Amino acid sequence: MEIRISVRNLVEFILRSGDITNKRTTPSDQAMQEGGRIHRMIQRRMGSDYHAEVFLRHKVLTENYSIVIEGRADGIIFSPKGENVQVPEIADTTLKPEMREALTVTIDEIKGTYRDIYKIKDADPVHLAQAMCYAYIYSEQNDLRQIRIRITYCNIETEELKYFHFEYDRQEICEWFENILAQYRKWADYQYEWQQLRTASIKELTFPFDYRDGQKDLVTYVYQTIYHKRKLFIEAPTGVGKTISTLFPSIKSMGEGLTQKIFYLTAKTITRTVADDTIELLRGQGLSFKSVILTAKEKICFMDEVECNPEYCPYAKGHYDRINEAIYDLLTHEDNFNRETVEEYALKHQVCPFEMSLDMSLFADAVIGDYNYLFDPHVYLKRFFAEGTRSDYAFLIDEAHNLVERGRDMYSAALYKEDFLALKKVVKDYEPKMAGALEKCNKELLELKRMCENYICLEEEEIAPFVRAVIRLSSMMDTYLEDHEESPIRADILEFYFEISHFLLIHENLAKDYTIYAQMEEDGRFMLKLFCVNPARNLKECMLRGRSTILFSATLLPIQYYKQLLGAEEGDYEVYAKSVFRPEQKRLFVADDVTSKYTRRSDMEYYNIATYIHKIVGSRDGNYMVFFPSHAFLQRVYDCYCNYYLDPDRVECLVQEEYMDEQRREQFLARFEEGKKNGPSLDDLAGIINMEIEVDAEEPKSLVGFCVLGGIFSEGIDLKNDCLIGAIVVGTGLPLVCNEREILKKHFDMQGDNGFDYAYKYPGMNKVLQAAGRVIRTAEDVGVITLLDERFLTPSYLRMFPREWSDYERVSLSQIEKRVDKFWDEWL
């Protein structure tokens, strides 16, 4: 059995100590981790004796298992000791015996920084330790008596270099490495014992339910995809059991040694909870399995404000002196490292709960969290993905339809002219030079603004002067942040610093899947944006960090569209899971006499839609949601419904507000989760007071929620049984026409695709499918779905209907009441 750990994780885990500080998370450190361009630039400058990105792997045998330490050295330099010595063309991990004495070998560790390199007096101990690990591995593999190390710091703006040189003999570096490894043995021993227990339990694990129709095939598809190291795209209708159907085979693959760790990633907290509950269910079946839920720092922080300052936060002060003891305590006493458990142990040991949860991911068999832990260029888990190697990870991407827009957001960047001026006013009395640099950026944006009446697409060369100004500003800010820990303007600078760092990072990544544009915002601000029109390349690169990726959603249609934008490669698989619900549980009606088209919007159209709502709700008392293309459209129909049809004694209306905090959202949903009952039943009340009482029977009352399509209530909510018996979708969900949508349309048209479909129709239809999917959530649910737009009856829309909608009924306003009555009569 192998216990694997990267060089980076081994060094940081063993050597860390002291406080958590803001300094640890400033963009200076971020630059050192993300300076890919600097690495490539330095590596290209070196001569033929320099070999870049050399993967090194070392195995240490113990009594029961092997410890595998691996990573990628930035560079290995072969320097001839004399004349006529042939330098190897490839940095082979094994040198020929005659070359070992003829060459001086140097391990190069490169770090990019925005700091003034002349202020760096010594190599960072962690950076040196990483290089020493690579030096040990290479000297051990080649029986070298001596080996050299070079730590290279490069200023990202000026490209100036500063070197620190070290030389070690074989015995010295061996003793150092053996000491590091000895400290790690306690952790490796525990992992070995745990993996033995985990594997044995997985071998005995069986599927916890009777397989639903088609579910066993789905489980098999997932396992085979992991086995073949591919991606699988699953259109999984509600009720298929997609969480257990993806987790179970992934866990089974772990038992067979195919998968090292599972990452269950999703966009919403509720689906993370479902994954956690599913693993807990399997633990109840005898599975030994450790999992961690990663919670955002802002949510899990114990302090009123998130400020990683040891003078402010007692959990940051001395965190690294206590954290390993806290980790071992939690690791040896719990299997589920959820938020509540992490908080309990973090309080016990007085450590930061967020940092602790990240550390627990090293020892977890499954990591549950947001998409950004894999895909975001800043937030991704560097402890797993920074080495540039591919590991046996299984990525399970839930609600994968959300990843298209999330990907565009993560890989795009925007800056506003007015923000430079605002920060200039803040810093001018403290740091005049920085104020001047901010003004320079403002002037460059002003030049672009003069070119732009409302909106303009730009070439990379046209924004080059602005980018150079931002790089100079970034370097100046970095130096200031490094030297002024207690500055009253530090927080303002740091916040903006992260924004421009993101912009510069995205700028380095520009390619043909980007469009650069500038526009005047409605509020008068001027924006420059690097817009990622197709996130497929970036997403695919992230997924290549693992063995296999399973992407699934109840609304992954059209599947070829999603495969194209989510980074599918030739040979990847797709499957349409069979719905387990009976067709008679729901009735789908499509209206042929109303629409939300702008050209048809009128008082009569609003009245007709309100009439549809009235007739559908009037057929049976219960809870309904009506979804509209916008708040404005919603308000017009709602006013019409209230004026002509609302009977407060029979119907209660709830309206989604334009801005609702978490408490208001929960209150809105709570009204639906009460079901049809308005308070306890008579039997409940009689049982509570243990006596007979007389009350007036309350008339049944319907609840109608007026909501926005694509909003917070049209996706990710689970209203089961009688909590929702009907959904009415008004319009086709087309996004509003705007500059970005038109950029998308043009881009995909130029690629030979249907730009309108990619920019408008497919995203709109996904919102429709999500809203309609709120009705039938379990095998016991019964309900009606009504699509109020004649465009749904055109061939292009009918082709996008899922298989379960093949039995739709075409209706008109004069027919809808009888058709809905007939459906409910069949169930009463």
Side-chain angles (χ1 to χ4, degrees):
M1 178 180 287
E2 293 184 348
I3 305 298
R4 299 171 63 184
I5 187 167
S6 70
V7 167
R8 174 196 176 95
N9 287 339
L10 175 65
V11 167
E12 292 190 353
F13 189 71
I14 298 301
L15 297 184
R16 60 190 178 180
S17 63
D19 305 332
I20 298 176
T21 66
N22 284 326
K23 187 176 178 180
R24 288 182 181 268
T25 56
T26 62
S28 301
D29 302 292
Q30 183 182 35
M32 290 181 178
Q33 297 163 347
E34 298 176 345
R37 179 182 63 84
I38 291 299
H39 280 65
R40 294 187 293 273
M41 180 270 293
I42 293 173
Q43 290 159 351
R44 284 195 300 268
R45 285 182 182 178
M46 301 301 166
S48 59
D49 59 347
Y50 191 99
H51 299 275
E53 302 297 327
V54 182
F55 181 75
L56 296 174
R57 190 172 190 266
H58 180 64
K59 182 180 290 188
V60 179
L61 300 178
T62 71
E63 300 82 2
N64 299 310
Y65 61 90
S66 301
I67 301 175
V68 177
I69 302 101
E70 58 191 8
R72 194 175 296 277
D74 293 331
I76 297 181
I77 306 169
F78 298 116
S79 304
K81 292 182 179 179
E83 297 181 0
N84 301 319
V85 177
Q86 185 69 36
V87 175
E89 294 183 4
I90 301 175
D92 199 331
T93 54
T94 304
L95 289 174
K96 294 179 180 180
E98 63 270 20
M99 301 298 293
R100 295 171 184 172
E101 295 299 324
L103 296 172
T104 297
V105 179
T106 302
I107 302 296
D108 191 26
E109 183 73 15
I110 303 170
K111 299 297 178 183
T113 178
Y114 288 109
R115 293 171 59 190
D116 182 348
I117 61 171
Y118 297 107
K119 292 186 177 181
I120 303 175
K121 301 303 181 184
D122 297 293
D124 185 289
V126 173
H127 301 160
L128 177 59
Q130 289 178 7
M132 290 178 71
C133 282
Y134 293 126
Y136 167 80
I137 295 172
Y138 200 81
S139 62
E140 186 73 10
Q141 290 173 346
N142 292 281
D143 196 23
L144 301 179
R145 288 188 297 174
Q146 287 186 318
I147 193 165
R148 294 177 179 177
I149 288 173
R150 185 176 80 181
I151 308 297
T152 302
Y153 291 106
C154 178
N155 183 280
I156 290 176
E157 178 195 2
T158 65
E159 298 184 358
E160 293 176 291
L161 301 175
K162 186 168 186 177
Y163 301 109
F164 294 93
H165 296 275
F166 306 87
E167 185 169 351
Y168 299 92
D169 61 38
R170 179 77 173 279
Q171 181 179 353
E172 185 181 7
I173 203 163
C174 282
E175 289 177 354
W176 176 87
F177 185 82
E178 288 168 2
N179 177 55
I180 291 289
L181 202 63
Q183 295 179 63
Y184 181 65
R185 274 297 298 271
K186 175 179 82 168
W187 304 91
D189 287 345
Y190 181 83
Q191 288 182 83
Y192 163 73
E193 294 170 2
W194 173 256
Q195 287 184 25
Q196 292 283 94
L197 179 65
R198 182 195 70 192
T199 300
S201 73
I202 292 175
K203 297 283 188 183
E204 298 297 319
L205 185 67
T206 59
F207 198 74
F209 308 109
D210 293 332
Y211 280 113
R212 298 170 181 173
D213 190 15
Q215 192 173 32
K216 190 171 185 178
D217 291 337
L218 183 56
V219 168
T220 302
Y221 295 146
V222 172
Y223 186 90
Q224 290 296 324
T225 300
I226 295 172
Y227 180 85
H228 290 293
K229 301 183 179 182
R230 296 290 187 180
K231 290 190 282 290
L232 174 63
F233 294 79
I234 306 174
E235 161 65 20
T238 302
V240 165
K242 54 189 172 69
T243 307
I244 187 67
S245 299
T246 52
L247 271 171
F248 178 77
S250 301
I251 292 170
K252 277 292 189 181
S253 75
M254 185 177 285
E256 297 301 319
L258 300 176
T259 299
Q260 178 185 348
K261 195 181 293 285
I262 297 167
F263 292 84
Y264 193 102
L265 305 172
T266 182
K268 292 182 168 56
T269 302
I270 183 64
T271 42
R272 294 195 280 277
T273 302
V274 172
D276 184 48
D277 291 344
T278 301
I279 293 173
E280 193 63 41
L281 170 70
L282 294 174
R283 289 193 188 102
Q285 303 289 319
L287 175 66
S288 296
F289 199 79
K290 294 187 183 293
S291 61
V292 62
I293 296 180
L294 300 181
T295 305
K297 182 187 290 188
E298 291 74 18
K299 292 184 178 180
I300 202 172
C301 180
F302 291 144
M303 307 301 289
D304 293 334
E305 295 183 13
V306 180
E307 184 178 344
C308 299
N309 182 341
E311 301 301 320
Y312 167 74
C313 176
Y315 307 98
K317 188 173 181 61
H319 167 91
Y320 290 108
D321 297 328
R322 301 184 296 272
I323 185 59
N324 283 7
E325 182 181 347
I327 291 170
Y328 198 76
D329 189 10
L330 176 53
L331 184 64
T332 53
H333 289 93
E334 309 285 350
D335 290 346
N336 189 346
F337 314 143
N338 58 23
R339 175 176 175 175
E340 293 74 22
T341 305
V342 168
E343 288 178 338
E344 176 188 343
Y345 280 79
L347 281 171
K348 176 181 176 182
H349 292 273
Q350 291 289 287
V351 295
C352 169
F354 177 70
E355 291 292 334
M356 185 176 186
S357 67
L358 292 179
D359 281 333
M360 295 313 300
S361 68
L362 290 170
F363 302 96
D365 304 307
V367 179
I368 304 169
D370 189 86
Y371 294 152
N372 58 19
Y373 291 111
L374 172 61
F375 297 108
D376 190 285
H378 299 285
V379 182
Y380 75 93
L381 296 172
K382 297 173 181 65
R383 62 194 67 207
F384 298 111
F385 309 131
E387 293 289 345
T389 58
R390 187 171 189 174
S391 300
D392 286 328
Y393 302 139
F395 301 134
L396 308 184
I397 313 297
D398 199 354
E399 303 292 349
H401 64 277
N402 286 309
L403 190 55
V404 174
E405 289 302 326
R406 278 289 299 274
R408 285 191 177 121
D409 289 342
M410 286 187 285
Y411 303 120
S412 298
L415 291 174
Y416 292 86
K417 177 181 177 295
E418 289 69 24
D419 291 345
F420 289 89
L421 290 175
L423 186 60
K424 176 187 170 184
K425 292 178 181 178
V426 173
V427 307
K428 64 180 181 180
D429 293 333
Y430 296 89
E431 190 67 14
K433 288 185 178 180
M434 189 184 299
L438 286 160
E439 176 57 29
K440 174 62 176 173
C441 294
N442 174 62
K443 286 182 178 178
E444 295 295 345
L445 284 176
L446 183 59
E447 289 298 315
L448 296 175
K449 184 178 179 180
R450 287 173 178 150
M451 299 165 56
C452 172
E453 291 186 10
N454 176 44
Y455 150 80
I456 186 174
C457 285
L458 299 162
E459 298 296 329
E460 189 172 354
E461 312 86 68
E462 294 178 288
I463 69 166
F466 170 71
V467 172
R468 287 193 293 269
V470 172
I471 291 173
R472 288 191 290 272
L473 172 65
S474 180
S475 177
M476 195 174 295
M477 285 182 161
D478 189 87
T479 301
Y480 185 88
L481 291 167
E482 188 74 21
D483 296 341
H484 298 81
E485 290 287 333
E486 305 300 326
S487 170
I489 60 172
R490 178 183 170 83
D492 297 289
I493 294 173
L494 185 62
E495 182 180 355
F496 194 58
Y497 197 62
F498 279 119
E499 290 185 33
I500 63 175
S501 295
H502 176 65
F503 185 90
L504 292 174
L505 179 65
I506 297 303
H507 182 264
E508 288 184 16
N509 192 43
L510 289 180
K512 62 181 181 180
D513 47 12
Y514 276 82
T515 294
I516 304 171
Y517 77 93
Q519 73 176 18
M520 296 298 303
E521 301 283 87
E522 290 184 3
D523 60 5
R525 295 191 301 164
F526 178 70
M527 178 188 72
L528 174 65
K529 185 164 186 177
L530 313 177
F531 180 40
C532 179
V533 292
N534 186 349
R537 173 177 59 92
N538 293 301
L539 296 174
K540 180 170 64 177
E541 288 175 0
C542 294
M543 288 185 275
L544 286 174
R545 296 164 176 164
R547 176 191 183 97
S548 179
T549 304
I550 314 298
L551 303 101
F552 49 100
S553 169
T555 58
L556 210 60
L557 293 175
I559 203 162
Q560 298 305 322
Y561 160 78
Y562 283 104
K563 287 182 70 175
Q564 182 178 343
L565 296 189
L566 293 176
E569 300 174 279
E570 186 176 354
D572 288 339
Y573 310 131
E574 63 189 70
V575 63
Y576 197 126
K578 185 177 181 181
S579 175
V580 299
F581 297 144
R582 293 163 292 152
E584 59 268 22
Q585 284 182 251
K586 63 116 177 62
R587 191 64 48 85
L588 174 65
F589 302 106
V590 184
D592 63 7
D593 53 358
V594 290
T595 183
S596 66
K597 283 182 180 179
Y598 282 99
T599 55
R600 286 265 298 273
R601 293 187 182 183
S602 63
D603 291 341
M604 180 55 68
E605 203 71 18
Y606 300 137
Y607 173 80
N608 289 339
I609 292 170
T611 305
Y612 265 105
I613 297 169
H614 171 66
K615 290 187 175 184
I616 294 167
V617 173
S619 292
R620 186 185 180 189
D621 296 314
N623 294 343
Y624 298 82
M625 281 190 175
V626 190
F627 299 96
F628 296 89
S630 67
H631 284 279
F633 198 110
L634 179 158
Q635 195 63 48
R636 296 298 296 270
V637 176
Y638 174 72
D639 291 342
C640 190
Y641 178 79
C642 292
N643 290 337
Y644 290 98
Y645 296 116
L646 180 61
D647 179 355
D649 294 330
R650 298 296 306 273
V651 177
E652 178 186 354
C653 294
L654 295 179
V655 177
Q656 177 184 339
E657 299 169 19
E658 200 153 356
Y659 303 102
M660 299 180 76
D661 58 26
E662 191 169 345
Q663 182 180 2
R664 298 297 299 275
R665 296 177 195 176
E666 290 175 357
Q667 291 171 347
F668 189 99
L669 283 178
R671 293 291 293 109
F672 285 87
E673 290 166 348
E674 292 172 6
K676 289 176 61 179
K677 296 186 296 183
N678 294 303
S681 68
L682 299 182
D683 289 340
D684 291 337
L685 288 171
I688 291 170
I689 62 176
N690 196 27
M691 60 179 290
E692 292 185 4
I693 58 174
E694 289 187 11
V695 297
D696 293 331
E698 188 173 308
E699 286 290 325
K701 195 171 186 178
S702 290
L703 180 65
V704 181
F706 286 72
C707 306
V708 174
L709 192 60
I712 52 179
F713 301 118
S714 66
E715 181 177 349
I717 61 172
D718 206 20
L719 298 174
K720 300 176 181 178
N721 303 319
D722 282 348
C723 291
L724 191 70
I725 66 169
I728 302 169
V729 180
V730 181
T732 56
L734 295 179
L736 292 174
V737 176
C738 65
N739 292 332
E740 282 198 355
R741 287 290 144 186
E742 290 301 296
I743 289 172
L744 291 174
K745 180 178 180 297
K746 180 180 178 181
H747 174 84
F748 289 107
D749 276 337
M750 292 178 66
Q751 282 195 175
D753 298 304
N754 187 317
F756 180 80
D757 288 353
Y758 276 61
Y760 293 99
K761 187 176 290 185
Y762 295 157
M765 190 62 188
N766 189 273
K767 291 188 287 186
V768 172
L769 294 170
Q770 282 291 327
R774 298 311 96 204
V775 179
I776 307 298
R777 309 299 296 175
T778 72
E780 291 74 39
D781 290 356
V782 179
V784 295
I785 302 165
T786 308
L787 307 182
L788 297 184
D789 200 301
E790 60 194 31
R791 287 173 288 181
F792 286 116
L793 294 167
T794 61
S796 63
Y797 274 98
L798 292 174
R799 283 194 296 268
M800 290 189 287
F801 277 21
R803 295 173 184 175
E804 303 79 50
W805 285 14
S806 60
D807 58 349
Y808 72 92
E809 293 187 20
R810 179 172 181 158
V811 297
S812 63
L813 191 55
S814 61
Q815 299 170 326
I816 186 65
E817 190 170 15
K818 290 182 179 180
R819 297 284 188 90
V820 176
D821 285 344
K822 180 182 177 183
F823 171 76
W824 288 121
D825 287 345
E826 294 170 359
W827 281 95
L828 295 178

